[in-house]
Amino acid sequence: MDNVIIREAKKEDMYQVCQLIKDLAIFEKSEDQCKMTPELLMKDGFDTENPIFKTFVAELHNRIIGYAIYFISYSTWLGKSTFLEDLYVDSQYRNQGIGKKLFLCVAKIAQQCQSKRLDLHCLSWNSALEFYKKVGVRNITEIENWNYLRIHGDELDRLVE
């Protein structure tokens, strides 16, 4: 896909990115959990002095066909880290190297900002897991027995009441 342009996202891209986020939620069988809006993406990623996240997009003929959202995190054992929250490519453009290009952009940013590691999560049934293994990502659930945990929504509200 030589015509695909990988670039940093602009505020106005968030309408198309938001639709891809919803497509990802459908793919992950979690559509009911996705409450994202373009406005929230624009506010959190562009309308602040310190954006909460950064985004790379894959563009083909003025259409966003993939994205990678990442942010800087922190490891108390190692220091600065980068977390890849989402990497998604529209289903009709998969297996053409676009996801790898997006991943490499985030990996380069992690290296440039001196992150000690690049973290991400992937559902166990997602075929992307094989891609991540091929590029050297280690599954710490398997090798270190770490679990990824979460509390949100009503449970979080009840906890802090």
Side-chain angles (χ1 to χ4, degrees), residues 24 27-29 87-88 94 120-133:
L24 173 60
F27 173 76
E28 291 183 345
K29 301 171 180 72
L87 191 155
Y88 183 76
R94 290 188 192 142
L120 60 129
H121 47 246
C122 184
L123 290 166
S124 60
W125 53 262
N126 189 336
S127 60
L129 197 56
E130 288 306 311
F131 159 74
Y132 291 127
K133 287 180 181 179

Side-chain angles (χ1 to χ4, degrees), residues 69-101:
I69 289 182
Y70 68 96
F71 55 90
I72 300 302
S73 58
Y74 197 78
S75 163
T76 57
W77 291 1
L78 298 173
K80 187 187 291 185
S81 299
T82 300
F83 194 91
L84 176 60
E85 176 65 22
D86 280 356
L87 191 155
Y88 183 76
V89 175
D90 185 298
S91 59
Q92 61 184 321
Y93 299 102
R94 290 188 192 142
N95 300 311
Q96 298 179 46
I98 299 167
K100 184 174 185 178
K101 288 178 182 179

Side-chain angles (χ1 to χ4, degrees), residues 7-9 14 17 46 53-57 67-70:
R7 61 172 174 79
E8 289 185 20
M14 294 303 104
V17 169
F46 297 89
F53 67 89
K54 299 280 188 173
T55 309
F56 284 106
V57 294
Y67 72 94
I69 289 182
Y70 68 96

